[in-house]
């Protein structure tokens, strides 16, 4: 416990990481989606699983929804269900990539009928937000093209801007729009919002409540992601994170699993730029537990973010600044790495216990009967997944 | 016609490119598989579509099968069906990535029951080859892991070798095994056969009829693929190509669409190394027509290979060698690029007509009623796809 | 000649590509800089070589300077020298990467003394511009860090902005500042202007005469560069190109040599966005002729740009738009590729002759005695290179 | 101390990492080589600096030489100098990239005169090895080409093989040849030994004492390097490591600095495959301290390897195997990561002291007067660097 100051512990205590409802459903690759016992059949069961993650970690007080995967008739009932379980409903994610009409675009489509349909879908998402009390509408666009010449990229940009303006205009005064960018996939030649610059240029035309969403898996190989974190915080436009990790493409692995040091560097810049526990910057997971257990996968993920935040908080900023000012490269690096290499796990475990949480949430879950119960109960029906 | 010498035309006339049956079925990404009218419901219809490509181009006299997607009771009937349509049945592709048992491996699996099942699947594929008259068994392994530590990579290599030996032992004396490598996907941390070196080291232990399959989309960013073509031909181990193209990952776009000059360089090395019209080196497509029409997509693809082969044949080798020997960098490059920039299309169109083929196979297909017919006929049933 | 319309020929006739003075000096890698006979010893000889490229191609009417490599006492004399040879002095490039003081930064340096020195260097460059009649000040910053933690990226951004404002304020009303971005090198962890988004965000704060410079070799692997061209033109902030090509990193190869189709796509977007023969968008080469002859290397380069521009101009836009609107993927691609595969070289050769230029500028140079003359004359002295 | 078992400590005690003499000289990029006070002027001073690293860490008992950079008349004197300082002379590195003759190749050159000269250089290196008592001849080839068509890759492979055979034949019975591969640079289109497969295929034809050298910075983006470590150990052909780290290309940063977790994974596979403290597998650094202090840079580097080896040794292999066998993905990953996240530094510091070494070698160097002494003494002369 003496590892952390009271201020650092207060910071850690305030940390919250939103869970995506779809992380509890099945996911996979174009080659195969493997099912698992106990997988939720509907959004109520997804929220229950998310609440279990929060119960054991104290880190995940809200759940993001995906429309239409989580579309239901009575959002008020879902909201009560969530609140009963100690969590809130969070970001609403739109989906414009699974309707036949959207094969060649949605918010960028040349055909007004289709584009208006996609806009209407987003307005419907805002209706959901009104019902769930959600603040953020997150827009990830799968749109693009597979072949050079297939489409006119320039006019798509203009139509995108028009579509976003219409959606933005519908937002409530306490609601926001966050626009996610992605390097590639499912389009393989061009993507309409491929980089932070495009997302930034687009949202900058909308207004103060339009922000950029940074998914840590959506960059070109070698991209210095923490630089982008720094820049977007500096520009006042970092609206939210989608955390995951990757070795190759958008692998959607557990955050911190592929390159822990990268996660450390990202969190250092978050703290440096005032983005931690800043209501303007939402922390969220976006992952696919293709081969690992889903609920423990989410527990592991939020713990990874917590532990790495704790390491980042340990940087001795006075020593670091002094070494930086002196251009003492190795000295500065030593201060930086000292925080990374510090084993924060025992202190965090102790601190969790002091707050009435399990010292080891992974072990606590394994020792509980939650998994056995859901495997016994969730028989029949259709397991939730991306295709649903 | 005077563009090409009689020898060059003879070379072009002998060229054949095998079509994958699955190119005529639906494909997509993890986000969505879009269907299209007229899509085959079974392997007979796939073969019919492939035969149509061959009829219009004279370039595609065989069709590769994928087991179990193309599994049927009576392969003799399928063989007659194909022969009636003027094509042969070609390479048989195994599938060890869609059975629940294979979630954590197949030919590499630690559990003997599962590994033996995977071996048995390959022996069954050889049975199919016996019935179809196919020469090549192509093995692409989706196996690997998503997280460091998840599995022991070393012992998997050893088990893979043992599995391959058992499969190889079952081959007929005129049959071959070709082992494909892939950089990543569907595994996101390690792949059991990730690079040509691994495939080469594995097949080298099996025997003369075990070769490497090079899929042009299965490399790390920036890889000089034509170097690998050169090296495998030099080592006598280039067994076959899976042609496609890519901008990012294994995008499976139409061959030559993403980087035509790369295709040119590959074909130059094929010719340089004696790999063209060499029975030891099979040319095959492996593509996904996610957004474009499938039959025209295949026509376009084989024409791309033909046109680029024609360009590669036009290199003035005497001039090139002289410039190379003189270290005249720009002179050598000029000879090389002159062939690439020559417009071979008019001469090829004229030559096609002289052989009783349509000058423009794409236009001929559009003008035919084939597409309208299959769209009218192929109603009901389940469209073929990867999941079938 | 009938290949091109009069309008297209007029467009081609207006095309100009600025040559970098340093392309005529020696360059190399960290491993070795090889020298060549006839290499200029000073900027007057560089300008003479550049003028020779222009004399043979009619494409390169101006020469960019690099300060201090091209620093002299009497720029008026240099200007007269250039004009006598039929060329103008163009963009002035600053250099903040070779002074000992700049080891850890220049325009971003924490030490005001060093930062002010770097600002003063740019003001001196503007003095040069006043003397040479140059319009553009191009700033490429080598600044960054090699190790995480070495420096504070955020405050460097702020200091960079302040420095740029001071420089911008000194510009004459007909002068511009173009800020180049680069993915990495010579810094290996972070670069202060690593991507177009950062350059855009920085210059957007300065004013209308601050623009982004896009070097085609300064992107992450797989980046869709033509998308950025499209976006910057759309945003009105594409100030200039540094053309070259690459297989791996910032290889600085001859433009169009590594991926001709990429150059085609870029030029298509330039034309689409109104960037061709638009005074706001400067075309320039930035290459390293490490192993090939330098003057022919530059001739080859401007011809590559010209030929590819000619191909891009041949796109049948009506047919392309119709196919795009119909979501006819293969039809649109066919129109696009038809232009790329058209052999424009004979028509361009004929057209060159009609304008009094050599049909084949490469052959004309080889047949001239220019190279023999400079090899004989340029004996003694120090060959020009990056090291000044 | 109780963190490690006696066996683990014995393993750590046996660890040795060879230092490259050139790490103590100046290095840089093509843009600039910055000098530093106290830089050695000759190989005797380099060896002295290396010995200082060993004195403080006990980890670096040998120094690799680079010919001709370290070429002298009396190697016996150098050997005595080294032994007096407690270190040995190690691997001899050849250089075929700085002579004018080698502009277009050396061991692959088409001109027999040049190729024989390059072979003779390697024979001379073996003479040096005889004099220094070195075991390993390390060959890294800068050879390749910058433009497609520039050269014939295939015949270069054949000539390379012939050259290597001639060199191999000259080796003493206790000497080895290790062939390094590299993805790119200084060649930008093709490299004659670009990947482990090529190096493996080449050395496999030579004999048992020809092995592959794996430089951790010489791979394509995203390459799973530990897989290659595993495979080469499995094939019995991993001869040596060149350790460094990278974010982008061959950045040559301090080992473990860019991706500590990757270094961990590599060392896990080294241990798994029996490569640790195995005389067949040499550990060496190959780095460039462009901006950081050189001697502390080397101290930091060997400590990074030691610390990460210590973490890798802590893996609970029984628990890991059990989880792997059960396909408990998260369980296996937890065991793996537990070792990585354990803070081994205090135990290592204590253990160092118990062996008469400084607990903190970095602090010990800073507290010593070594740096001040060499800065005072090494005045005049020419600082060593790559060009020397």
């Amino acid at each position: 416990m003496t590892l952390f100051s009271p201020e650092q512990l207060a910071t850690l205590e305030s940390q919250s990481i939103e869970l995506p409802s779809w992380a509890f459903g099945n996911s996979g690759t174009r080659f195969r989606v493997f099912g698992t016992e106990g997988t939720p059949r509907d959004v109520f069961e997804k929220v229950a699983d998310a609440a279990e993650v929060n119960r054991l970690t104290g880190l995940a007080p809200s759940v993001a929804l995906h429309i239409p995967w989580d579309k239901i008739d009575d959002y008020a009932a879902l909201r009560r269900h969530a609140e009963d379980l100690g969590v809130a409903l969070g970001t609403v994610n739109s989906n414009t990539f699974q309707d036949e009409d959207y094969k060649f675009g949605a918010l960028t489509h040349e055909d007004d009928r289709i584009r208006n349909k996609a806009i209407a879908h987003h307005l419907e998402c805002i209706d959901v937000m009104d019902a769930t009390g959600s603040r953020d509408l997150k827009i990830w666009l799968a749109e693009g093209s597979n072949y050079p010449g297939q489409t006119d990229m320039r006019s798509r940009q203009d139509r995108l801007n028009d579509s976003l303006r219409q959606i933005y205009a519908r937002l409530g005064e306490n609601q926001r729009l966050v626009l996610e960018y992605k390097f590639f996939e499912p389009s393989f030649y061009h993507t309409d919002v491929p980089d932070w610059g495009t997302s930034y240029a687009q949202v900058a035309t909308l207004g103060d409540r339009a922000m950029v969403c940074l998914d840590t898996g959506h960059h070109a190989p070698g991209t210095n992601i923490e630089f982008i974190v720094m820049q977007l915080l500096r520009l006042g436009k970092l609206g939210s994170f989608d955390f995951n990790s990757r070795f190759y493409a958008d692998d959607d692995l557990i955050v911190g699993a592929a390159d822990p040091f990268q996660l450390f560097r990202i969190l250092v810049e978050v703290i440096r730029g005032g983005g931690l526990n800043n209501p303007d910057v939402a922390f969220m997971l976006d992952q696919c537990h293709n081969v690992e257990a889903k609920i423990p996968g989410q527990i592991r993920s939020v713990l990874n973010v917590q532990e790495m935040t704790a390491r980042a908080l340990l940087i001795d900023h006075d020593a670091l600044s002094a070494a930086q000012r002196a251009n003492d490269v190795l000295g500065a690096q030593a201060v930086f790495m000292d925080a990374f290499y510090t084993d924060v796990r025992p202190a965090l475990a102790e601190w969790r216990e002091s707050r009435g949480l399990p010292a080891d949430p992974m072990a606590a879950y394994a020792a509980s009967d939650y998994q056995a119960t859901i495997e016994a109960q969730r028989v029949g029906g259709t397991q939730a997944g991306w295709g649903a």
Side-chain angles (χ1 to χ4, degrees), chain A residues 4 9 12 306-307 310 344-353 359:
Chain A
F4 299 104
L9 291 177
L12 289 170
Q306 182 186 49
E307 289 173 16
V344 296
R345 297 172 303 165
L348 289 178
E350 194 180 337
W351 173 66
R352 277 189 207 103
E353 285 200 309

Side-chain angles (χ1 to χ4, degrees), chain A residues 20 133 149 159 161 261 274 385:
Chain A
R159 289 191 295 270
N161 194 249
F261 185 44

Side-chain angles (χ1 to χ4, degrees), chain A residues 161-162 164-165 168 199-208 210 237:
Chain A
N161 194 249
D162 180 79
L164 291 175
R165 285 176 191 274
Y168 186 79
S199 183
Y200 170 69
Q202 284 284 355
V203 300
T205 68
L206 301 180
D208 287 346
K237 281 295 188 187

Side-chain angles (χ1 to χ4, degrees), chain A residues 325-342:
Chain A
R325 275 194 305 272
N327 288 312
D328 176 3
V329 177
L330 292 168
Q333 198 217 18
V335 174
F336 199 79
M337 299 310 291
D338 182 44
F340 178 69
Y341 282 131
T342 299

Side-chain angles (χ1 to χ4, degrees), chain A residues 240-258:
Chain A
S240 62
F241 279 101
D242 267 11
F243 278 115
N244 50 58
S245 74
R246 54 168 289 219
F247 287 99
Y248 304 99
D250 184 32
D251 306 339
D252 281 334
L253 302 177
I254 287 175
V255 56

Side-chain angles (χ1 to χ4, degrees), chain A residues 24-306:
Chain A
F24 300 97
N26 293 321
S27 63
T29 69
R30 58 175 172 151
F31 295 99
R32 174 70 176 177
V33 177
F34 292 99
T36 46
E37 288 185 271
T39 296
R41 283 88 45 94
D42 61 29
V43 66
F44 288 86
E45 292 178 353
K46 293 179 192 174
V47 167
D49 289 358
E52 181 69 6
V53 174
N54 187 52
R55 193 182 67 80
L56 294 169
T57 65
L59 281 166
S62 64
V63 190
L65 303 179
H66 186 114
I67 305 298
W69 298 344
D70 296 327
K71 193 170 176 175
I72 52 173
D73 289 331
D74 186 351
Y75 292 99
L78 183 65
R79 188 175 181 169
R80 284 191 304 273
H81 171 70
E83 288 168 358
D84 288 348
L85 293 166
V87 295
L89 301 176
T91 301
V92 169
N93 294 259
S94 61
N95 175 324
T96 52
F97 50 89
Q98 295 191 312
D99 188 296
E100 285 290 319
D101 273 343
Y102 300 147
K103 185 173 180 178
F104 296 104
L107 294 183
T108 63
H109 206 291
E110 194 158 7
D111 182 333
D112 279 346
R113 181 188 67 80
I114 295 173
R115 188 159 73 90
N116 287 332
K117 174 176 168 176
I119 294 168
H121 166 66
H122 285 86
L123 302 189
E124 182 195 352
C125 286
I126 301 175
D127 290 341
V128 174
M129 291 163 65
D130 290 340
T132 55
S134 301
R135 181 188 61 167
D136 288 355
L137 171 65
K138 184 163 66 187
I139 304 180
W140 168 64
L141 294 173
E143 299 168 56
S145 63
N146 276 5
Y147 293 99
Q150 176 186 327
T151 191
D152 181 54
M153 299 190 293
R154 168 74 177 257
S155 57
R156 292 172 74 97
Q157 246 356 261
D158 296 333
R159 289 191 295 270
L160 171 60
N161 194 249
D162 180 79
S163 299
L164 291 175
R165 285 176 191 274
Q166 292 188 47
I167 295 164
Y168 186 79
R170 165 65 182 83
L171 287 174
E173 62 182 11
N174 295 317
Q175 292 175 333
R176 310 191 309 170
L177 178 162
V178 291
L179 180 63
E180 193 167 337
Y181 60 92
K182 185 174 181 180
F183 185 50
F184 82 100
E185 195 214 18
S187 292
F188 296 127
Y189 163 59
H190 111 269
T191 294
D192 287 306
V193 188
D195 52 23
W196 79 263
T198 295
S199 183
Y200 170 69
Q202 284 284 355
V203 300
T205 68
L206 301 180
D208 287 346
R209 285 169 295 117
M211 310 279 275
V212 176
C213 172
L214 185 156
D215 183 304
T216 52
H218 289 189
H219 303 84
T223 300
N224 184 326
I225 297 173
E226 59 270 27
F227 183 93
I228 299 173
V229 170
M230 174 279 290
Q231 188 68 275
L232 284 172
L233 283 168
R234 178 177 172 270
L235 296 168
K237 281 295 188 187
L238 182 59
S240 62
F241 279 101
D242 267 11
F243 278 115
N244 50 58
S245 74
R246 54 168 289 219
F247 287 99
Y248 304 99
D250 184 32
D251 306 339
D252 281 334
L253 302 177
I254 287 175
V255 56
D259 186 348
F261 185 44
Q262 182 185 63
L263 179 59
F264 175 77
R265 301 192 309 263
I266 288 171
L267 289 165
V268 169
E269 287 302 326
V270 168
I271 295 168
R272 167 65 179 87
L276 190 63
N277 298 340
N278 175 342
D280 289 347
V281 185
F283 278 46
M284 198 180 122
L285 302 182
D286 185 10
Q287 300 178 167
C288 292
H289 301 303
N290 295 353
V291 298
E292 68 272 21
K294 298 175 200 311
I295 297 172
Q298 291 285 291
I299 295 172
R300 177 73 275 155
S301 301
V302 295
L303 293 177
N304 280 359
V305 176
Q306 182 186 49

